[in-house]
Amino acid sequence: MKKTFEKTILVTGGAGFIGSNFLLRMVPRYPSYHFVNIDALTYAGILANLKELEGAPNYAFRHIDIVESQAVRALFEEYPITHVVHFAAESHVDRSIHDPLAFVRTNVLGTVNLLQNAQRAWSNDYEGKRFFHVSTDEVYGSLKPEDAAFGEQHRYEPHSPYSASKASADHFVRAYHDTYGLPILISNCSNNYGPYQFPEKLIPLCINNIVHQRPLPIYGDGTQVRDWLFVADHVDAIDTILHKGREGETYNVGGCNEVQNIELVRQLISIVDQKLGHPEGHSLGLITYVTDRPGHDTRYAIDATKIHEELGWQPAYSPEEGFEETVEWYLAHQEWLDYVTSGDYQNYYDEMYGERLR
């Protein structure tokens, strides 16, 4: 007899950094929910991260690109989807500068395709349904040191093709709510870090480079400020919003942890050197200043008062705890870093499913 689930949650981009952390925590947490993961498995999609979920009765994977209208439509026909949690996105700013159309394709057209198919499948019977769009604080632009942090009503002022594509997606999600009544939720989060992050990103890149005593590239003078959010805290925030958030609302999710890039790198050097038994300051000489990124935002900071007061969510990890746990994870998973940086992970789907990637 086929099992009936309380909810069927379509997770897009579940093989990515935040998506895989979400599934690894949520699938065992909610055995009465069916999680259907779709991912295009581009360079940052690492299906091997989810190996422990293979065979779980409440988990399924489909190799689908969110821009493929017929494939997404067929998915809504195959499964009684009640919720969409939409992570899938091109997210690396440097890549967006070199290839902006790829970001428009996935982040804008892909989001609209999901919205259109959700609206069609639910046919205005929206009871018990939610379309949850996971966005970024970068849509708000850049703050000066003296400015108040980004609130949910802060105007949009994106400065990179990446942030512009995410801002466009946010607007489409709200438009489907206003035009069609689609029950939506949006979260705008600060910079995430933690296990399974693709090693082109600042924190895993620095940890790996310190281990191998390679240069640590710092854009400009390194004084750009970011608010850092441990990924486990972000997953718990998404869980809270999914279950308690009010339809049509936006919630900002931040780690309450503003740090200059150069200070963050120095913290990482201190932690990694200590754990590897290096003398204090051993790796400081690896810091290498490089030409600044075009349109580089000066400061991001999230005002998370709304989610704190309305939904009762607070980050569980202090910055010190989060950074230390992250460093320990990467040091204990050097094989994972080698596996990803070698490109071998791209063969995993073929090995597991006996098919070639499209």
Side-chain angles (χ1 to χ4, degrees), residues 70 82 91 115 123 177 188 216-218 249 252 284 295 307-308 342 353:
Q70 292 303 315
T82 57
S91 65
L115 289 164
S123 301
H177 175 66
N188 294 88
L216 305 175
I218 305 294
E249 291 293 315
N252 281 356
L284 286 172
I307 190 173
H308 295 170
S342 71
Y353 294 91

Side-chain angles (χ1 to χ4, degrees), residues 36-237:
V36 181
N37 172 25
I38 65 171
D39 200 295
L41 298 179
T42 56
Y43 79 96
I46 306 172
L47 195 59
N49 293 352
L50 301 169
K51 186 175 183 178
E52 68 185 70
L53 299 182
E54 291 167 5
N58 64 328
Y59 172 77
F61 172 74
R62 295 288 185 275
H63 178 220
I64 292 174
D65 190 326
I66 59 170
V67 302
E68 297 172 353
S69 183
Q70 292 303 315
V72 173
R73 181 170 185 169
L75 198 73
F76 274 90
E77 293 171 353
E78 180 181 358
Y79 294 101
I81 294 167
T82 57
H83 294 66
V84 176
V85 181
H86 177 32
F87 295 103
E90 295 284 351
S91 65
H92 197 258
V93 175
D94 289 349
R95 289 178 182 264
S96 80
I97 293 169
H98 295 294
D99 187 9
L101 286 179
F103 286 68
V104 173
R105 178 182 181 274
T106 297
N107 300 355
V108 183
L109 297 180
T111 299
V112 174
N113 184 41
L114 288 166
L115 289 164
Q116 186 71 6
N117 278 285
Q119 192 267 333
R120 180 189 292 117
W122 294 341
S123 301
N124 299 315
D125 178 15
Y126 296 143
E127 184 66 29
K129 311 293 197 308
R130 284 292 187 274
F131 188 105
F132 188 165
H133 175 58
V134 180
S135 191
T136 173
D137 58 0
E138 296 191 40
V139 299
Y140 298 125
S142 183
L143 293 169
K144 296 177 182 177
E146 67 273 15
D147 289 342
F150 297 131
E152 286 81 1
Q153 300 305 315
H154 197 283
R155 71 177 184 180
Y156 276 34
E157 196 174 2
H159 292 150
S160 71
Y162 162 62
S163 56
S165 68
K166 291 296 287 187
S168 177
D170 289 9
H171 290 319
F172 270 107
V173 173
R174 292 194 182 95
Y176 267 73
H177 175 66
D178 294 344
T179 303
Y180 305 106
L182 193 74
I184 63 98
L185 294 160
I186 297 176
S187 64
N188 294 88
C189 70
S190 56
N191 282 36
N192 278 223
Y193 69 97
Y196 297 111
Q197 189 168 29
F198 198 78
E200 71 182 356
K201 299 290 189 173
L202 179 61
I203 288 179
L205 175 68
C206 284
I207 295 169
N208 198 36
N209 283 12
I210 295 167
V211 169
H212 294 287
Q213 292 293 284
R214 297 169 182 156
L216 305 175
I218 305 294
Y219 282 124
D221 60 5
T223 59
Q224 303 86 1
V225 174
R226 300 294 182 261
D227 176 18
W228 291 94
L229 173 66
F230 190 51
V231 69
D233 280 331
H234 188 197
V235 168
D236 286 341

Side-chain angles (χ1 to χ4, degrees), residues 321-339:
E321 291 169 335
F323 290 144
E324 183 151 345
E325 185 164 320
T326 298
V327 168
E328 288 177 348
W329 188 90
Y330 283 101
L331 292 182
H333 291 80
Q334 187 62 50
E335 287 186 7
W336 181 89
L337 275 168
D338 294 342
Y339 176 65

Side-chain angles (χ1 to χ4, degrees), residues 186-336:
I186 297 176
S187 64
N188 294 88
C189 70
S190 56
N191 282 36
N192 278 223
Y193 69 97
Y196 297 111
Q197 189 168 29
F198 198 78
E200 71 182 356
K201 299 290 189 173
L202 179 61
I203 288 179
L205 175 68
C206 284
I207 295 169
N208 198 36
N209 283 12
I210 295 167
V211 169
H212 294 287
Q213 292 293 284
R214 297 169 182 156
L216 305 175
I218 305 294
Y219 282 124
D221 60 5
T223 59
Q224 303 86 1
V225 174
R226 300 294 182 261
D227 176 18
W228 291 94
L229 173 66
F230 190 51
V231 69
D233 280 331
H234 188 197
V235 168
D236 286 341
I238 293 169
D239 186 4
T240 300
I241 296 167
L242 188 67
H243 288 92
K244 297 181 180 179
R246 291 185 291 124
E247 177 189 325
E249 291 293 315
T250 296
Y251 296 91
N252 281 356
V253 184
C256 304
N257 180 28
E258 287 187 58
V259 185
Q260 286 187 346
N261 287 346
I262 186 61
E263 290 306 317
L264 170 63
V265 172
R266 287 175 179 146
Q267 287 184 44
L268 293 173
I269 288 171
S270 177
I271 298 170
V272 177
D273 276 350
Q274 187 272 327
K275 292 190 179 297
L276 293 179
H278 294 161
E280 184 176 350
H282 174 78
S283 300
L284 286 172
L286 298 176
I287 293 173
T288 305
Y289 294 95
V290 299
T291 302
D292 205 357
R293 168 191 289 161
H296 202 173
D297 290 333
T298 302
R299 173 177 169 242
Y300 303 145
I302 282 287
D303 179 353
T305 301
K306 181 177 178 179
I307 190 173
H308 295 170
E309 294 183 350
E310 185 175 310
L311 305 185
W313 175 86
Q314 295 273 3
Y317 287 81
S318 69
E320 295 76 17
E321 291 169 335
F323 290 144
E324 183 151 345
E325 185 164 320
T326 298
V327 168
E328 288 177 348
W329 188 90
Y330 283 101
L331 292 182
H333 291 80
Q334 187 62 50
E335 287 186 7
W336 181 89

